[in-house]
Amino acid sequence: MDQANQFKKWSLSFSGCDGGDIGSQDSPSTWVSGIEWGGGHSPESLIGHMSDVEMDPPSGYAGWENNLAYIFNWQVMKLLSAISGRKVEEYKEYAEEIQPFTKGSSGFFKMNLYPIAFKDTSEKRWERDFSTITGFDSKQGYVDWCRRYRLPMIRSWSEAYRPKLIICLGKSYIEDYAKAFACDVGAFEKLRIDDRDLSWQINEFGSLVAVVPFMVNSNGLVKNASIQKFGEKMSELM
């Protein structure tokens, strides 16, 4: 199989997912979805990942400490802590006790819409590093392909496992989240909380889909008091 076809096969698997407990219809989990992994792939690391096609949901982090190792993760711990009825300031204790997204723990699954991690948006970097590997001349070609094929695959996971809650991080990607998680993009309800938007709806499979601002930039959902309110509201909506 050539690299481009291998890339497509890999992209339609659970690539880009940190994993955990994906749940079931009888025991539904909470899913957290970002856009893509942080850090950025090199051509070599992408090829290495492509050799391991994740046809089964990955089992998650080896240790709970990963949930405190990166700002993205610890912000998510704050939100999950608030949803559970705790204070965001207890997020470290929550991470150690509940151990979301960790091998052997239950109730939480972590994923991304897109499988490749990018250091930046440079088209020259794409042409130099990724066009031959993926078979796409431009990053937009890759994005369009993922929207056509990968997001419907994620939708099929939503139907099969039916999480009780899907937390989507990054409101500018709401159309992609809608496609991935069986939502009508025009049917989101919007709540304004501390000058930030919480968009939500119940999808066609009965999951609460909540789209929140990205949690690591100054214009996003970063203040503890606001994260607390968002978490409490999501708990009410469930």
Side-chain angles (χ1 to χ4, degrees):
M1 183 181 296
D2 63 34
Q3 275 188 341
N5 283 324
Q6 179 65 23
F7 172 78
K8 291 176 181 177
K9 182 178 180 180
W10 174 74
S11 295
L12 294 179
S13 72
F14 285 94
S15 53
C17 300
D18 293 306
D21 170 28
I22 201 167
S24 67
Q25 294 186 30
D26 293 330
S27 182
S29 285
T30 291
W31 292 6
V32 175
S33 179
I35 300 157
E36 64 190 34
W37 274 329
H41 277 115
S42 66
E44 295 77 17
S45 68
L46 178 58
I47 291 169
H49 278 291
M50 285 166 48
S51 67
D52 184 17
V53 177
E54 299 267 11
M55 298 312 298
D56 295 316
S59 56
Y61 296 132
W64 65 269
E65 296 87 353
N66 282 284
N67 282 318
L68 301 180
Y70 312 98
I71 185 171
F72 181 94
N73 284 6
W74 76 62
Q75 291 290 82
V76 169
M77 290 302 103
K78 291 179 181 181
L79 184 57
L80 293 178
S81 182
I83 292 170
S84 76
R86 304 190 188 197
K87 299 298 183 184
V88 295
E89 290 81 7
E90 300 173 34
Y91 75 97
K92 293 180 181 179
E93 293 82 358
Y94 178 88
E96 182 174 7
E97 179 182 339
I98 306 301
Q99 302 189 12
F101 322 126
T102 303
K103 291 179 181 178
S105 66
S106 62
F108 299 91
F109 188 78
K110 188 166 178 280
M111 60 178 296
N112 286 294
L113 291 176
Y114 292 93
I116 303 179
F118 292 99
K119 293 180 180 179
D120 54 47
T121 59
S122 169
E123 282 296 330
K124 288 185 178 179
R125 184 188 298 277
W126 175 273
E127 293 170 7
R128 183 186 70 236
D129 293 348
F130 301 115
S131 59
T132 300
I133 297 172
T134 64
F136 298 107
D137 292 335
S138 67
K139 184 179 179 181
Q140 189 59 52
Y142 153 76
V143 169
D144 291 343
W145 184 89
C146 285
R147 285 174 173 161
R148 184 173 181 182
Y149 295 104
R150 178 175 165 89
L151 299 190
M153 179 64 71
I154 295 175
R155 180 190 177 98
S156 74
W157 306 343
S158 306
E159 182 176 12
Y161 300 105
R162 305 204 177 190
K164 59 185 177 183
L165 170 64
I166 306 172
I167 303 171
C168 306
L169 300 172
K171 64 180 185 178
S172 63
Y173 283 77
I174 193 168
E175 292 186 4
D176 286 351
Y177 285 126
K179 190 176 184 70
F181 298 123
C183 296
D184 177 352
V185 72
F188 278 101
E189 302 281 349
K190 186 178 290 187
L191 296 170
R192 192 73 171 164
I193 302 173
D194 290 350
D195 295 323
R196 300 291 185 268
D197 290 332
L198 167 61
S199 299
W200 68 275
Q201 66 175 274
I202 305 298
N203 73 4
E204 63 183 78
F205 307 130
S207 303
L208 172 63
V209 180
V211 182
V212 306
F214 204 55
M215 299 182 71
V216 298
N217 57 42
S218 59
N219 294 320
L221 181 61
V222 294
K223 294 180 179 178
N224 282 355
S226 297
I227 295 171
Q228 186 76 44
K229 292 176 185 177
F230 268 69
E232 290 172 354
K233 178 54 68 173
M234 279 189 260
S235 180
E236 289 178 19
L237 293 171
M238 285 195 291

